[in-house]
Every structure is written in C-alpha cells, then in structure tokens.
Amino acid sequence: MTSVGLKFKTFAKIALAGAAIAVLDSSTTVAQPSKDQLVVGQIQFLTNFHPLIQVNNTKRLTINYSLRPITAFDENVVNQCILCETLPTIENGLAKIVDLPDGKKGMQVTLTLRQGLAWGDGVPVTSKDIEFTWKMARDPKIGFSNYNSWDRATDLKIVDDRTVVLTLPQVLSSYNSWDQILPEHLEGPVYAANPTLDTYVKQSLYNTQPTNPGLWNGAFLLSDYQIGTRIVFQPNPHWPGTKPHLQRIIFSYRDNSSALLQNLLAGAVDAVPVSPGGISFSQMLDLRGQQPTKFKYYIDYGTNVERIAVNFDNPILQDKSVRQALLYAIDRQAISDELFGGLQPVANGILSDENAYYNKNMTIYKYDAEKAKELLASAGWKPGPDGICVNDKGERLSLELVSTAGNQTREQIAQVVQSQMKDVCVEIKNNFVPLQEFNGEMARKRKFKALMMSSIDFSPSVSPRIALGSDSIPKAENNGVGNNFSGYANPAMDEAISELEVALDPKTTKEKWADVQKIFADDLPMLPLYFYPRAYVAVPDLVNFRQGTLDPLAIWAEEWDRK
C-alpha cells in the first residue's frame, strides 16, 4: 500500500470509530412510535421555501411532498404523469414537430391536468396556474429554476380549464418533462405587487405563510414548521390520487450526522437519508455491520454526482494542466473503498458508467500522484522550502476548498483531499460554512476563491446545461440562476449541449452525450469525485418505500405505509 493509502486508511479508521461511538451513545428515551407517522431525521434546513427559486438538491427532496411536478421519472427510468392526465409523446399525438413562422422546426406540446386536482384550500388547479407560472418563468427579473424550466416555451395557449398547448422554439428531447406550477390565486397578487426577485422572494407566501394550504397541490400539505427544527407534512384532503397512508411526515432537524445517528438508534427518528442531507455513508455501513436487522438499508444506483467546482476566475485554476493535476492527485477509488465500502462508484464525468450513455472512450483520470507532479512542473509549479509548490513569482500553490458545515461526509472527504494534495505540493485550506452562506454567497454569488464541493443530480430529463452551459453561470443579470458555479464558458460545449437537447432518438442521443463527456473530460470544468447511490435507512415496518426513484422519492410518498 502506498503512503497515501496508509494515511487514508488511518484517517478512515478514525472516522469509522467516531461513527461507532455515536452508534453506542443512544440513551435518549422516547415515546412509543406512532404507526401513522414517519419522523425523518435531516440536516440542512431550507434557506427559503419557494419551490422554483434557488433550487438545490436539499429543496427538491423536501418540497415535493407538498408541491408535485407535472411529470417525474420513477425507479425504472420511466417518465410518467404526476399532475397530468396523459404523458405527451409524438406517438400519441400530444407532442408534434411543427414549422414555425421563422422557418425553423419547433414543437407543440399539449398538457392536460388530471381530473379533480385542487390546491390545499380547495381551489381547483387550472390552466391559469400553468399560464401564471410560465409567465413568471419567462420574466428575466425573477429567475426560476432551470431543471425542467417553463421558459423553454415561447408561447402558451389555454384550450380549456385543464388543457394548455405549449410552443417550443426548437425540437427538444425534454419536451415532456415539466416542473411544478404555482397557485395564481395566491401568488398572482404578490407577484404583481413585487415584480423583482428580491422583493418577490421576501413577500412570496411561500416564505411569509408557508403553512397556507392553498400553496400546495400534492398528496401532503406543509402544515407546521419551526426554522432549523422541524417541518411537518399532513395529508391534503383535496388530493385526487391515492390517499396517503401516513397521517404525518415530520422532518426533524439536527446539527450534524452524528446526532442524527444517535436519534435513529434511540427511536427518536424513524428514517434518515444517507448523505447528502443525512448520515454519512460510512456511518450507514458501520450501522449495518452492528445492527443488520434493526433497520432496512436501501441502496440503489444514483445520478447525483459529488463534484468540486473549479473557479475559472482564479488565475491558477485557469491553467488546464493544474486542473488535471488536481484530479490525478485525488485517490477517488481509495475514498470509495475505505469510506464507502466500494459502494459509491468513482465518477469519471457527469454520467455513471452504469448509464447507457456513458462514454468509455473519453480521458479517464485514475489516481497518479507522479503524473500530477509532472503536470504541475510543466505549468511552472515546483516544490518550495516547506514542500508546497511555488512558481517563478514566488507565489504558493495554495487553494481554499469550501463546503457545507455539519456534513460529515464532505468534511471527511475534504480532509482526505487536503492530505493527498499535500503529497503533490498543493496546499488545501478547508473552509466549512453554514448552508445559507454556502448556497448564497459562495454558490449563487460565486464568492468562493478556488474550489467548492457540492453535488448535482442529473436525473434523466435534466440537461447538462444546468452545470456546464455558459448561460447557466449564476450572476446578477440572471438572478443567480444556474449551477455552473465554476464560471465555465466554452462555445464547443454550448454547441454540444444544444445538439444533445434536440436529439430524439437513442442513437443520436448517445452520440451527443459522448461529445459532451469528451469535452468535459478534456476541459475539467469541475472535478468529479463519485456518485451517491440513492441510500436510506429506515425502520423495518416501513413498506412501499420507493427509494430508488430517479426524481425525488417524496413524489410517491402517499404510497408509504407502516405495517
């Protein structure tokens, strides 16, 4: 084993020992659990409740209990209607390729809302709500999410109370994937009085009255909350689909993953996600080893990639050789083996090698410390007196790595990366910040100085544009929309993404995905680490828990039951 491997193994043992201590400390006394509720332990409380503004993985995993998207992908990678009646396809005629007035090809997509759909205050969900959401999404002063964004449509016509026809200015493979909609009868007056992002977010009922039932149209309503402590969901009496079996789902927040683990063992919580947002993967593995039958352990293939964004405004990181050296210096397989039992696969790009569109012919960066040193030397960085590289100006190769405080997995990874980088003469200074600062100043305003560790979920309908397109760099002009935190802009990548987005057949889609992955591997706008499996730990009496869905599992929460 290399010296790096020995250092890592020592660190991993310390981390796992800490987890074991947490497991054994479970003396909290709690009442007998109720079979009609589920208490989910969480870290990272939401920075705001608005479902379509400043969207990240944490928000998507929470909001979908109460506000459902029009469509979503299940665990079988099948797109299906959630709020619509029939999924539009070219085959059934609800999606058509049409000639546009400018001579180009576009699409018309017909969406019909399901019968009986209502907001939590009993007001019917109608085409006016879709139209309202679409108009807001196209308002450059607001800045909505760009996951399956409504602003892809340039025109909308209302056919009747439940049906609209959307016109797309080009042929898009994601034509039948659509986000949530907002209640026009409640948010319409707020938007009219507050037409800019700053004022609208502050005055939106989602942030001033989040327990107003009329804001929600899912199987559950957000019925109670206490900032930093809890969020409570209860059944929506107006939900027309399967009635929820559980009468309450409670998000119960803790400061860190060790506290979550203690509360899980003590019976204070019934279920916890496995990082991000919950206990660490190493804690889950340790728990499974000690308590194999006390809980159910759900582990499925995931599309959520942990990555280190590389700030292209930093002169050091503008050099591709330096970015390549950094990735060669990280022993990602050792991280997976030692900390995750080999169950979190190394990410060679933004698609897992289990994905049908994975490009095995792109550049692969396997751990190679000597190669990293060679690349740094070629870029003018040589070891200085204290072992840290310096250039001919005497500047030290020192980089700050920012991530979220209280997330044990990221803190562990950051410390390992710090150790491994030191072996190739790179100094890493770790900076763990609260989630609100991380999502705001560091990410949306791109105030991180060099490197930033976070995750992004490329579910089947999501375009890589959200993280790699030059139009997805968060800035003041677009109200901080987009997850291209690196500030990466490459015309070749933009063109490749545009070609991918219009591919309708599997063969062309695979070819275009291959192009995107090749450019990514050549440029390294971010350093891919590993893919999170979709993992959860829950009490054994929880059934119908479709944890492996490729869109947020909360979309199917009404099926959950306790037997």
Side-chain angles (χ1 to χ4, degrees):
M1 181 178 290
T2 65
S3 59
V4 170
L6 287 170
K7 287 180 182 178
F8 186 88
K9 191 137 185 115
T10 300
F11 176 82
K13 285 182 177 178
I14 293 171
L16 291 175
I21 292 171
V23 168
L24 295 173
D25 183 14
S26 57
S27 57
T28 306
T29 301
V30 296
Q32 186 69 22
S34 171
K35 289 287 188 177
D36 65 354
Q37 74 173 24
L38 186 76
V39 181
V40 180
Q42 293 277 139
I43 56 176
Q44 301 180 356
F45 197 85
L46 299 184
T47 54
N48 74 70
F49 286 104
H50 197 287
L52 294 176
I53 292 176
Q54 297 175 344
V55 178
N56 54 29
N57 287 336
T58 301
K59 181 176 287 188
R60 294 181 78 223
L61 290 168
T62 305
I63 292 297
N64 280 284
Y65 285 96
S66 292
L67 198 74
R68 296 290 165 82
I70 299 292
T71 63
F73 279 85
D74 66 11
E75 63 272 34
N76 298 312
V77 203
V78 175
N79 195 16
Q80 57 186 267
C81 276
I82 303 299
L83 297 187
C84 54
E85 196 167 79
T86 304
L87 187 75
T89 66
I90 292 174
E91 290 74 17
N92 65 21
L94 295 177
K96 300 176 182 178
I97 298 175
V98 297
D99 294 317
L100 300 176
D102 60 6
K104 297 179 180 179
K105 295 289 185 182
M107 300 187 79
Q108 286 188 338
V109 180
T110 301
L111 286 176
T112 300
L113 294 166
R114 65 191 297 179
Q115 185 74 39
L117 200 62
W119 298 100
D121 57 3
V123 174
V125 179
T126 72
S127 300
K128 288 185 178 180
D129 297 313
I130 299 179
E131 182 185 43
F132 168 66
T133 307
W134 169 73
K135 285 181 177 178
M136 282 198 73
R138 292 185 61 78
D139 185 346
K141 299 189 298 296
I142 297 298
F144 271 5
S145 158
N146 61 347
Y147 275 85
N148 291 306
S149 153
W150 290 100
D151 69 0
R152 290 171 295 166
T154 52
D155 189 42
L156 181 149
K157 286 186 171 56
I158 293 179
V159 177
D160 57 39
D161 283 350
R162 293 169 45 225
T163 305
V164 302
V165 177
L166 299 157
T167 299
L168 307 183
Q170 58 184 320
V171 177
L172 288 176
S173 58
S174 61
Y175 67 86
N176 58 5
S177 290
W178 297 95
D179 266 348
Q180 295 100 334
I181 55 175
L182 305 178
E184 188 274 338
H185 69 292
L186 293 180
E187 285 293 284
V190 178
Y191 171 52
N194 300 276
T196 63
L197 177 64
D198 286 344
T199 58
Y200 171 67
V201 170
K202 290 175 183 176
Q203 298 303 319
S204 168
L205 298 185
Y206 284 102
N207 289 322
T208 61
Q209 300 177 25
T211 58
N212 186 323
L215 297 173
W216 312 106
N217 61 21
F220 291 88
L221 302 176
L222 195 162
S223 61
D224 184 32
Y225 76 101
Q226 183 173 334
I227 293 175
T229 301
R230 70 174 183 273
I231 299 175
V232 180
F233 301 95
Q234 292 183 303
N236 176 3
H238 301 287
W239 174 246
T242 302
K243 300 302 179 184
H245 297 288
L246 297 173
Q247 297 307 297
R248 291 212 309 174
I249 296 177
I250 304 167
F251 273 25
S252 183
Y253 288 84
R254 302 294 185 273
D255 291 335
N256 55 67
S257 58
S258 293
L260 278 187
L261 189 56
Q262 292 174 23
N263 280 265
L264 177 67
L265 278 151
V269 299
D270 305 309
V272 293
V274 178
S275 192
I279 65 173
S280 71
F281 213 85
S282 62
Q283 286 174 315
M284 184 203 71
L285 293 175
D286 195 48
L287 179 63
R288 188 172 68 170
Q290 296 186 39
Q291 302 279 358
T293 60
K294 184 172 183 177
F295 302 102
K296 280 187 179 179
Y297 301 89
Y298 299 86
I299 305 174
D300 292 283
Y301 157 72
T303 55
N304 191 14
V305 62
E306 186 79 351
R307 45 77 189 266
I308 296 177
V310 176
N311 194 330
F312 273 62
D313 294 337
N314 187 311
I316 294 174
L317 297 172
Q318 289 172 1
D319 189 328
K320 182 162 65 175
S321 295
V322 173
R323 301 196 298 273
Q324 292 173 331
L326 295 180
L327 191 53
Y328 275 122
I330 303 173
D331 193 344
R332 293 170 293 160
Q333 190 60 57
I335 291 173
S336 177
D337 291 343
E338 300 293 346
L339 206 53
F340 309 127
L343 294 174
Q344 295 201 161
V346 168
N348 294 313
I350 60 175
L351 294 184
S352 164
D353 58 9
E354 293 187 40
N355 192 300
Y357 297 132
Y358 175 74
N359 180 8
K360 63 182 179 182
N361 296 317
M362 65 182 176
T363 303
I364 304 296
Y365 296 83
K366 292 188 177 181
Y367 171 66
D368 190 335
E370 294 306 312
K371 180 72 172 177
K373 293 175 185 177
E374 291 172 11
L375 284 165
L376 290 175
S378 71
W381 296 98
K382 307 291 176 61
D386 62 352
I388 301 302
C389 276
V390 294
N391 61 14
D392 55 8
K393 298 177 184 178
E395 297 169 330
R396 300 174 82 247
L397 186 45
S398 180
L399 302 168
E400 182 183 67
L401 173 59
V402 176
S403 195
T404 46
N407 186 316
Q408 186 185 75
T409 298
R410 285 187 180 144
E411 291 180 359
Q412 290 174 355
I413 297 299
Q415 292 177 58
V416 172
V417 168
Q418 182 182 54
S419 175
Q420 293 179 341
M421 289 293 184
K422 188 174 182 181
D423 289 342
V424 299
C425 79
V426 178
E427 181 181 55
I428 296 293
K429 295 182 177 179
N430 288 323
N431 181 14
F432 305 117
V433 301
L435 184 65
Q436 186 163 1
E437 180 184 354
F438 182 84
N439 285 334
E441 292 293 314
M442 293 298 178
R444 300 295 167 187
K445 295 185 179 180
R446 299 186 59 244
K447 294 295 181 67
F448 68 103
K449 298 174 183 176
L451 306 171
M452 185 177 71
M453 192 190 312
S454 66
S455 66
I456 184 165
D457 197 347
F458 290 100
S459 62
S461 63
V462 174
S463 168
R465 181 179 299 278
I466 64 171
L468 301 176
S470 60
D471 55 354
S472 294
I473 300 171
K475 46 193 172 186
E477 299 92 284
N478 64 10
N479 293 298
V481 172
N483 292 76
N484 184 350
F485 303 134
S486 296
Y488 169 65
N490 180 350
M493 177 62 86
D494 288 340
E495 182 179 358
I497 291 172
S498 294
E499 291 176 351
L500 169 64
E501 289 174 336
V502 302
L504 292 180
D505 64 281
K507 180 177 181 294
T508 305
T509 301
K510 186 166 187 174
E511 291 172 355
K512 299 309 176 184
W513 260 119
D515 292 341
V516 168
Q517 292 172 84
K518 182 181 184 304
I519 297 169
F520 176 93
D522 290 343
D523 284 355
L524 286 185
M526 50 182 155
L527 310 180
L529 298 178
Y530 54 84
F531 286 94
Y532 286 107
R534 299 178 189 275
Y536 236 87
V537 180
V539 287
D541 63 1
L542 181 64
V543 297
N544 303 326
F545 186 62
R546 295 168 63 182
Q547 180 273 336
T549 55
L550 294 181
D551 273 314
L553 77 169
I555 295 171
W556 292 271
E558 61 268 25
E559 300 174 1
W560 304 352
D561 199 0
R562 298 186 69 174
K563 299 293 187 180

